[in-house]
mmCIF file of all heavy atoms in Angstrom:
data_model
loop_
_atom_site.group_PDB
_atom_site.id
_atom_site.type_symbol
_atom_site.label_atom_id
_atom_site.label_comp_id
_atom_site.label_asym_id
_atom_site.label_seq_id
_atom_site.Cartn_x
_atom_site.Cartn_y
_atom_site.Cartn_z
ATOM 1 N N ILE A 37 -2.084 -5.397 10.322
ATOM 2 C CA ILE A 37 -0.771 -4.861 10.707
ATOM 3 C C ILE A 37 -0.846 -4.245 12.096
ATOM 4 O O ILE A 37 0.020 -4.481 12.940
ATOM 5 C CB ILE A 37 -0.268 -3.847 9.652
ATOM 6 C CG1 ILE A 37 0.027 -4.570 8.332
ATOM 7 C CG2 ILE A 37 0.977 -3.115 10.154
ATOM 8 C CD1 ILE A 37 0.283 -3.642 7.158
ATOM 9 N N PHE A 41 1.294 -5.342 15.536
ATOM 10 C CA PHE A 41 2.124 -4.446 16.343
ATOM 11 C C PHE A 41 1.654 -4.395 17.791
ATOM 12 O O PHE A 41 2.477 -4.325 18.704
ATOM 13 C CB PHE A 41 2.215 -3.055 15.709
ATOM 14 C CG PHE A 41 3.189 -3.036 14.572
ATOM 15 C CD1 PHE A 41 2.753 -3.106 13.267
ATOM 16 C CD2 PHE A 41 4.546 -3.006 14.820
ATOM 17 C CE1 PHE A 41 3.667 -3.138 12.219
ATOM 18 C CE2 PHE A 41 5.462 -3.026 13.777
ATOM 19 C CZ PHE A 41 5.021 -3.100 12.476
ATOM 20 N N ILE A 49 3.814 3.394 16.438
ATOM 21 C CA ILE A 49 3.754 3.517 14.986
ATOM 22 C C ILE A 49 2.412 2.974 14.521
ATOM 23 O O ILE A 49 1.914 1.987 15.068
ATOM 24 C CB ILE A 49 4.941 2.775 14.329
ATOM 25 C CG1 ILE A 49 4.984 3.022 12.827
ATOM 26 C CG2 ILE A 49 4.928 1.301 14.660
ATOM 27 C CD1 ILE A 49 6.257 2.519 12.161
ATOM 28 N N ASN A 50 1.826 3.642 13.529
ATOM 29 C CA ASN A 50 0.545 3.134 13.040
ATOM 30 C C ASN A 50 0.762 2.243 11.810
ATOM 31 O O ASN A 50 1.867 2.152 11.261
ATOM 32 C CB ASN A 50 -0.444 4.277 12.772
ATOM 33 C CG ASN A 50 -0.040 5.187 11.639
ATOM 34 O OD1 ASN A 50 0.427 4.746 10.580
ATOM 35 N ND2 ASN A 50 -0.234 6.487 11.828
ATOM 36 N N ALA A 51 -0.312 1.594 11.388
ATOM 37 C CA ALA A 51 -0.215 0.617 10.294
ATOM 38 C C ALA A 51 0.176 1.276 8.972
ATOM 39 O O ALA A 51 0.937 0.692 8.193
ATOM 40 C CB ALA A 51 -1.541 -0.122 10.146
ATOM 41 N N VAL A 52 -0.316 2.470 8.707
ATOM 42 C CA VAL A 52 0.039 3.170 7.467
ATOM 43 C C VAL A 52 1.544 3.433 7.441
ATOM 44 O O VAL A 52 2.215 3.210 6.428
ATOM 45 C CB VAL A 52 -0.764 4.487 7.330
ATOM 46 C CG1 VAL A 52 -0.224 5.346 6.201
ATOM 47 C CG2 VAL A 52 -2.236 4.177 7.112
ATOM 48 N N GLN A 53 2.087 3.887 8.558
ATOM 49 C CA GLN A 53 3.516 4.165 8.647
ATOM 50 C C GLN A 53 4.333 2.880 8.512
ATOM 51 O O GLN A 53 5.360 2.853 7.826
ATOM 52 C CB GLN A 53 3.821 4.871 9.967
ATOM 53 C CG GLN A 53 3.233 6.260 10.038
ATOM 54 C CD GLN A 53 3.193 6.824 11.441
ATOM 55 O OE1 GLN A 53 3.283 6.100 12.432
ATOM 56 N NE2 GLN A 53 3.054 8.139 11.548
ATOM 57 N N ALA A 54 3.874 1.809 9.145
ATOM 58 C CA ALA A 54 4.584 0.524 9.051
ATOM 59 C C ALA A 54 4.593 0.016 7.611
ATOM 60 O O ALA A 54 5.616 -0.486 7.123
ATOM 61 C CB ALA A 54 3.936 -0.508 9.977
ATOM 62 N N LEU A 55 3.467 0.138 6.921
ATOM 63 C CA LEU A 55 3.396 -0.299 5.526
ATOM 64 C C LEU A 55 4.299 0.551 4.641
ATOM 65 O O LEU A 55 4.945 0.043 3.726
ATOM 66 C CB LEU A 55 1.946 -0.235 5.045
ATOM 67 C CG LEU A 55 1.589 -0.986 3.776
ATOM 68 C CD1 LEU A 55 1.999 -2.445 3.836
ATOM 69 C CD2 LEU A 55 0.095 -0.874 3.514
ATOM 70 N N LEU A 56 4.384 1.828 4.947
ATOM 71 C CA LEU A 56 5.297 2.714 4.223
ATOM 72 C C LEU A 56 6.741 2.252 4.395
ATOM 73 O O LEU A 56 7.502 2.143 3.424
ATOM 74 C CB LEU A 56 5.123 4.156 4.698
ATOM 75 C CG LEU A 56 6.051 5.204 4.105
ATOM 76 C CD1 LEU A 56 5.910 5.287 2.595
ATOM 77 C CD2 LEU A 56 5.759 6.559 4.730
ATOM 78 N N LEU A 57 7.134 1.938 5.627
ATOM 79 C CA LEU A 57 8.495 1.435 5.882
ATOM 80 C C LEU A 57 8.740 0.126 5.139
ATOM 81 O O LEU A 57 9.805 -0.078 4.554
ATOM 82 C CB LEU A 57 8.716 1.247 7.383
ATOM 83 C CG LEU A 57 8.710 2.524 8.229
ATOM 84 C CD1 LEU A 57 8.798 2.169 9.709
ATOM 85 C CD2 LEU A 57 9.833 3.454 7.827
ATOM 86 N N PHE A 58 7.746 -0.751 5.154
ATOM 87 C CA PHE A 58 7.878 -2.024 4.444
ATOM 88 C C PHE A 58 8.111 -1.785 2.955
ATOM 89 O O PHE A 58 8.991 -2.394 2.343
ATOM 90 C CB PHE A 58 6.620 -2.880 4.643
ATOM 91 C CG PHE A 58 6.639 -4.138 3.832
ATOM 92 C CD1 PHE A 58 7.368 -5.241 4.256
ATOM 93 C CD2 PHE A 58 5.944 -4.206 2.637
ATOM 94 C CE1 PHE A 58 7.396 -6.402 3.481
ATOM 95 C CE2 PHE A 58 5.973 -5.358 1.868
ATOM 96 C CZ PHE A 58 6.703 -6.462 2.293
ATOM 97 N N ILE A 117 11.017 -2.727 11.942
ATOM 98 C CA ILE A 117 9.583 -2.680 11.640
ATOM 99 C C ILE A 117 9.312 -3.389 10.321
ATOM 100 O O ILE A 117 8.369 -4.176 10.205
ATOM 101 C CB ILE A 117 9.077 -1.218 11.579
ATOM 102 C CG1 ILE A 117 9.176 -0.561 12.953
ATOM 103 C CG2 ILE A 117 7.661 -1.146 11.020
ATOM 104 C CD1 ILE A 117 8.304 -1.166 14.034
#
Side-chain angles (χ1 to χ4, degrees):
I37 293 169
F41 282 100
I49 186 170
N50 66 42
V52 169
Q53 293 164 341
L55 196 54
L56 177 60
L57 294 174
F58 174 79
I117 294 296

